[in-house]
């Protein structure tokens, strides 16, 4: 791919380093998912706090407080919800905010819960407002009012609910209204994983997938996984395929690096879209500042795709910065692509005549 050829950037849905789960990811995650809190790798603070909440509830013989888990996709929120149910020896009901568009949808779910059951509500911030208001009373008083009829003749019938535990998960905690957020007794924020933690994740997954891998190979995959276990497991599967087809099936550091070069995931976890954004910013616009829409046109993507898919990781890695004047590249971005930043005039300096009018000082 030439520096100015951005027509073949992968669609975000096809990204190997995307944090969203597709059908294959969901099937593999079900097999790799830890079943107990002690088996869960990483998130030490959240695990310790959650363990205290669950142990205290078991000693009291009551349902634990409602739990809110927030953080980027792929860090283990769904896994922790299932572990909570397993630790309580209770069944779990799984649904999502977008699936609950009417208060009646939520009432049907709540009325069928059994005592002590765990209700996992993924992407809770996307639930409709009427359902959200019904949830307030269900969480606090274990009761809902079912409206029968319409208009002046409508009647509210109170329906008592058995004690249950709601586990809400969100990638956008700031979008939760305060009345809903305040009804959760425990809130845990999931952080990105350190490379050493991801290396343990890769080793564990390799064992379960019957993949032979050495420590250096696991470290190579972990270092390119963007701090996200879901991405680490996906890269491991692609490296496994490469090792089995091109070599003897054993994953070493060299083989992992070769495989991820084939899949165009570089040493810092950047893929084609990320590098295309940086390449355009550096080569076409001299490192910026440049507006988001202009940068998106240069890359051949929608502005929303650049802003929501590529930029968060580039900003977190310190390769790109957002400023009031537009996007600018950092010194690390120039170094990562092996380019030399243009020389800048000292503040207040006046360009020489030859710089303003090239060739003005030439003889003849």
């Amino acid at each position: 791919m030439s520096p100015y050829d951005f027509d073949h950037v992968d669609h975000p849905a096809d990204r190997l380093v995307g944090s969203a789960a597709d059908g294959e990811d969901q099937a593999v995650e079900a097999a790799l998912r830890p079943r107990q809190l002690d088996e869960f790798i990483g998130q030490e603070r959240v695990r310790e706090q959650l363990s205290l909440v669950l142990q205290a509830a078991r000693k009291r013989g009551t349902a634990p407080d409602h739990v809110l888990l927030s953080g980027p996709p792929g860090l283990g929120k769904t896994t922790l919800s299932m572990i909570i149910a397993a630790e309580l020896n209770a069944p779990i009901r799984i649904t999502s905010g977008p699936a609950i568009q009417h208060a009646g949808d939520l009432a049907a779910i709540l009325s069928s819960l059994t005592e002590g059951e765990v209700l996992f509500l993924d992407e809770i911030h996307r639930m409709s407002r009427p359902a959200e208001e019904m949830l307030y009373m269900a969480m606090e008083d274990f009761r809902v009012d079912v409206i029968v009829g319409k208009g002046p003749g409508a009647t509210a019938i109170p329906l008592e609910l058995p004690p249950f535990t709601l586990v809400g998960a969100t990638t956008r905690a700031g979008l939760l209204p305060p009345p809903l957020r305040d009804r959760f007794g425990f809130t845990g924020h999931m952080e990105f994983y350190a490379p050493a933690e991801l290396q343990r994740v890769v080793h564990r997954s390799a064992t379960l997938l019957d993949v032979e891998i050495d420590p250096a190979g696991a470290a190579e995959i972990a270092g390119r996984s963007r701090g996200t276990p879901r991405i680490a497991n996906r890269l491991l599967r692609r490296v496994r395929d490469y090792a089995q087809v091109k070599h003897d099936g054993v994953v070493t550091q060299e083989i992992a690096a070769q495989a991820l070069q084939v899949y165009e995931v570089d040493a810092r976890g950047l893929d084609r879209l990320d590098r295309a954004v940086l390449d355009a910013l550096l080569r076409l616009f001299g490192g910026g500042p440049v507006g988001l829409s202009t940068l998106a046109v240069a890359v051949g993507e929608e502005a929303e795709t650049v802003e929501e898919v590529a930029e968060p990781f580039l900003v977190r890695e310190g390769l790109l910065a957002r400023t009031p004047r537009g996007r600018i590249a950092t010194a690390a971005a120039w170094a990562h692509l092996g380019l030399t930043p243009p020389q800048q005039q000292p503040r207040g300096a006046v360009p020489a005549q030859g710089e303003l009018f090239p060739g003005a000082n030439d003889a003849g």
Side-chain angles (χ1 to χ4, degrees):
M1 177 171 161
S2 71
Y4 301 102
D5 180 12
F6 303 111
D7 293 333
H8 301 290
V9 174
D10 293 335
H11 190 274
D14 302 326
R15 302 182 80 205
L16 191 62
V17 292
S19 55
D22 58 17
E24 181 187 7
D25 288 328
Q26 292 171 357
V28 174
E29 285 175 3
L32 300 180
R33 188 167 279 139
R35 301 292 188 264
Q36 301 295 327
L37 204 55
D38 290 342
E39 300 175 7
F40 191 89
I41 297 172
Q43 311 297 338
E44 299 291 342
R45 182 176 301 176
V46 173
R47 285 198 300 119
E48 181 180 2
Q49 295 171 346
L50 191 55
S51 176
L52 293 173
V53 171
L54 298 178
Q55 290 182 45
R58 284 199 299 265
K59 287 187 176 182
R60 293 192 303 266
T62 61
D65 289 338
H66 302 298
V67 174
L68 177 65
L69 301 173
S70 65
L75 300 186
K77 296 186 292 295
T78 301
T79 298
L80 273 183
S81 72
M82 294 184 173
I83 287 176
I84 289 172
E87 294 281 350
L88 296 173
N89 196 25
I92 183 170
R93 188 84 54 93
I94 299 177
T95 186
S96 66
I100 301 176
Q101 294 302 313
H102 306 283
D105 300 334
L106 181 61
I109 295 173
L110 294 173
S111 61
S112 62
L113 294 175
T114 59
E115 184 172 353
E117 190 166 356
V118 174
L119 173 61
F120 176 56
L121 189 52
D122 197 11
E123 295 300 302
I124 191 173
H125 64 273
R126 297 176 61 188
M127 189 168 48
S128 68
R129 180 56 61 87
E132 182 184 288
E133 293 174 351
M134 175 178 283
L135 193 58
Y136 295 162
M137 185 180 297
M139 294 173 67
E140 199 163 36
D141 302 326
F142 296 108
R143 181 175 69 91
V144 293
D145 288 338
V146 180
I147 307 299
V148 179
K150 296 182 179 180
T155 304
I157 301 177
L159 178 64
E160 298 295 327
L161 303 174
F164 68 95
T165 298
L166 174 67
V167 180
T170 178
T171 55
R172 308 284 293 276
L175 297 183
L176 284 180
L180 178 58
R181 193 164 52 240
D182 292 344
R183 282 170 168 80
F184 287 97
F186 172 77
T187 300
H189 180 70
M190 312 283 281
E191 304 283 352
F192 286 105
Y193 281 58
E197 294 173 327
L198 281 179
Q199 189 172 346
R200 292 168 55 199
V201 170
V202 171
H203 267 298
R204 180 182 180 276
S205 298
T207 300
L208 295 175
L209 294 173
D210 197 23
V211 177
E212 187 175 348
I213 188 170
D214 66 17
E220 186 70 23
I221 294 173
R224 305 185 187 214
S225 298
R226 298 174 174 246
T228 306
R230 176 176 291 157
I231 297 176
N233 288 330
R234 189 184 299 144
L235 295 184
L236 171 63
R237 299 199 304 275
R238 299 290 75 82
V239 171
R240 172 199 60 185
D241 296 343
Y242 180 88
Q244 290 175 347
V245 173
K246 298 289 188 179
H247 299 276
D248 59 0
V250 179
V251 177
T252 63
Q253 188 275 334
E254 182 180 1
I255 290 175
Q258 292 174 2
L260 294 176
Q261 183 177 8
V262 170
Y263 289 108
E264 299 181 291
V265 178
D266 69 19
R268 295 187 68 161
L270 276 65
D271 68 351
R272 292 182 66 184
L273 175 61
D274 301 317
R275 289 194 301 275
V277 170
L278 286 185
D279 209 65
L281 180 58
L282 299 181
R283 295 182 188 270
L284 299 182
F285 305 108
V290 61
L292 172 63
S293 58
T294 302
L295 183 60
V297 169
V299 179
E301 288 285 351
E302 298 291 335
E304 292 79 6
T305 299
V306 173
E307 183 176 26
E308 298 175 9
V309 177
E311 281 191 352
F313 181 68
L314 295 176
V315 171
R316 182 161 63 89
E317 284 291 290
L319 300 172
L320 180 146
R322 297 170 174 171
T323 72
R325 297 178 58 199
R327 274 56 177 174
I328 62 172
T330 65
W334 292 95
H336 183 66
L337 293 190
L339 301 175
T340 302
Q343 293 184 351
Q344 297 181 351
Q345 290 283 350
R347 184 173 297 180
V350 178
Q353 182 180 8
E355 295 173 340
L356 286 174
F357 305 101
N361 294 329
D362 292 348

